[in-house]
């Protein structure tokens, strides 16, 4: 009897210590929202590269500088369905084609308009299946000379953000391609981008943040090499950027519970932002206002001047 009891205890202990699996059903769904805190500058000095099996990452000293709410919505409600269907020639079968390509959408940024030029409501359109999460299209409202119209940029080769199920030691690489032409909107700019994304699930264990302890997480390293060509008035300019992100996934939460993004500079990884899953907190307000132009160009004939006001305040 003692041997059986001991075996049961060892079995339970081994189960509790076993690595976890993250499924597509664990990821965010339509109408889900998440509060994410961005950590203060001292967080950039912590070690996020450390990893291993049955590892404990303790980042309980993180302090929030600001917060944002990430919302996943039905892409039918994002505002870019009609323009996507028209550009792809889907008239009668618009609904079926759109729903076959997209089932999640999330806003990347509210955007900005200055002096009658800018982008707003920039929204990612995704396809979540049992085997992957693909970024397939970006929609935005473009404003030029005071006129705002919607436009979309579809990936020629989707950006496979994740493959499912997600397990320790997973290692895969996928290529993507995206291009957009703004000349029809009066902006003489074309952008072409190709990317190579490599995901390596390099660790598992427990994670501690100011939110609490996540007992079963997977740690993923993402390396994205982007080759971007921007052609302005017929003159191309090329650049290559390598970004490296570390993400911790808990099956109980639909987004990474901790994500650290950074750039590779001269062979060294330089972290730039630390974001983590959190509750709503009362933070010190940071007021930041601006206007352009600094000296308004007054039109004596029309008897007016155009000034753009910007509110970049947080909290």
């Amino acid at each position: 009897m003692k041997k059986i009891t001991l075996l049961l205890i060892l079995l339970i202990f081994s189960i509790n210590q076993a690595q976890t699996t993250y499924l597509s059903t664990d990821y965010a769904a339509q109408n889900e929202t998440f509060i994410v805190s961005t950590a203060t500058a001292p967080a950039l000095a912590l070690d996020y590269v450390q990893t291993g099996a049955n590892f404990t990452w303790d980042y309980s000293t993180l302090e929030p500088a600001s917060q944002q709410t990430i919302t996943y919505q039905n892409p039918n409600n994002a505002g870019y369905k009609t323009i996507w269907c028209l550009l792809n020639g889907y008239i009668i079968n618009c609904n079926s084609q759109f729903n076959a390509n997209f089932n999640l959408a999330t806003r990347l940024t509210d955007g900005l308009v200055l002096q009658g030029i800018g982008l707003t409501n920039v929204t990612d359109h995704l396809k979540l299946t049992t085997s992957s999460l693909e970024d397939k299209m970006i929609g935005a409202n473009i404003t030029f000379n005071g006129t705002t119209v919607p436009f979309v940029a579809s990936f020629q080769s989707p950006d496979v953000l994740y493959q499912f199920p997600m397990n320790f030691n997973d290692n895969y690489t996928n290529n993507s391609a995206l291009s957009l032409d703004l000349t029809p909107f009066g902006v003489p700019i074309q952008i072409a981008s190709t990317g190579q994304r490599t995901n390596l699930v390099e660790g598992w264990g427990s994670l501690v943040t100011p939110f609490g302890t996540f007992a079963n997480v997977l740690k993923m390293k993402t390396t994205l090499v982007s080759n971007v060509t921007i052609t302005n008035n017929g003159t191309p300019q090329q650049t290559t950027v390598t970004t490296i992100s570390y993400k911790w996934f808990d099956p109980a939460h639909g987004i990474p519970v901790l994500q650290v993004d950074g750039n590779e500079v001269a062979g060294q990884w330089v972290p730039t932002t630390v974001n983590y899953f959190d509750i709503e907190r009362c933070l010190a307000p940071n007021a930041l206002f601006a206007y352009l132009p600094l000296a308004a160009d007054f039109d004596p004939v029309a008897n007016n001047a155009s000034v753009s006001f910007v509110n970049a305040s947080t909290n």
Side-chain angles (χ1 to χ4, degrees):
M1 180 64 69
K2 289 183 178 179
K3 290 183 178 180
I4 295 176
T5 302
L6 179 61
L7 288 174
L8 288 174
I9 293 174
L10 291 174
L11 177 61
I12 293 172
F13 180 79
S14 64
I15 292 174
N16 288 336
Q17 294 299 309
Q19 55 185 286
T20 189
T21 295
Y22 195 91
L23 305 174
S24 64
T25 51
D26 298 323
Y27 198 77
Q30 292 180 11
N31 302 318
E32 276 197 282
T33 61
F34 307 92
I35 297 175
V36 173
S37 288
T38 299
T40 55
L44 301 178
L46 299 179
D47 183 3
Y48 301 101
V49 178
Q50 57 182 337
T51 194
N54 197 21
F55 200 91
T56 297
W57 296 275
D58 187 350
Y59 302 114
S60 56
T61 59
L62 295 175
E63 295 185 2
S66 62
Q67 291 191 313
Q68 62 175 317
T69 300
I70 298 176
T71 301
Y72 285 83
Q73 62 176 316
N74 186 331
N76 285 276
N77 303 327
Y80 300 104
K81 176 179 178 179
T82 300
I83 186 64
W84 181 86
C85 287
L86 289 175
L87 290 177
N88 287 279
Y90 301 131
I91 306 301
I92 299 177
N93 58 344
C94 177
N95 286 330
S96 60
Q97 289 293 333
F98 189 83
N99 291 330
N101 277 275
F102 316 107
N103 57 12
L104 273 182
T106 184
R107 183 175 296 182
L108 297 177
T109 176
D110 291 335
L112 188 66
V113 176
L114 288 175
Q115 297 301 101
I117 300 176
L119 294 175
T120 53
N121 191 32
V122 183
T123 303
D124 234 355
H125 290 64
L126 312 166
K127 179 69 173 182
L128 177 64
T129 67
T130 56
S131 60
S132 66
L133 176 66
E134 297 183 349
D135 191 354
K136 303 193 68 175
M137 185 261 282
I138 298 175
N141 289 323
I142 182 171
T143 300
F144 187 71
N145 289 334
T147 300
T148 301
V149 294
F151 88 100
V152 296
S154 297
F155 282 83
Q156 288 75 47
S157 298
D159 185 5
V160 181
L161 303 179
Y162 308 116
Q163 290 182 358
F164 302 107
M166 191 184 298
N167 289 295
F168 179 53
N169 282 330
D170 284 353
N171 188 0
Y172 53 88
T173 298
N174 292 287
N175 297 320
S176 62
L178 174 70
S179 63
L180 62 148
D181 186 358
L182 300 180
T183 54
F185 304 99
V187 182
I189 294 178
Q190 298 90 35
I191 301 174
S193 174
T194 59
Q196 184 180 75
R197 181 184 298 272
T198 299
N199 286 339
L200 169 62
V201 184
E202 61 177 16
W204 66 272
S206 63
L207 169 72
V208 184
T209 72
F211 177 82
T213 298
F214 304 91
N216 295 289
V217 296
L218 290 172
K219 182 196 177 190
M220 173 184 285
K221 177 184 179 181
T222 297
T223 303
L224 177 61
V225 181
S226 301
N227 299 291
V228 182
T229 301
I230 300 177
T231 303
N232 188 355
N233 282 316
T235 302
Q237 185 174 6
Q238 296 180 332
T239 184
T240 298
V241 178
T242 299
T243 60
I244 297 176
S245 302
Y246 294 99
K247 309 167 191 174
W248 285 257
F249 291 86
D250 183 319
H253 301 281
I255 61 172
V257 291
L258 174 65
Q259 179 167 335
V260 185
D261 300 314
N263 298 319
E264 190 175 72
V265 181
Q268 297 293 321
W269 180 65
V270 180
T272 55
T273 56
V274 179
N275 295 313
Y276 59 95
F277 185 89
D278 207 356
I279 59 173
E280 189 172 14
R281 302 182 185 274
C282 184
L283 303 176
N286 177 33
L288 181 59
F289 303 95
Y291 60 91
L292 286 174
L294 297 181
D297 186 13
F298 183 76
D299 185 345
V301 177
N303 197 34
N304 62 33
S306 177
V307 181
S308 295
F309 295 92
V310 181
N311 179 9
S313 302
T314 55
N315 306 331

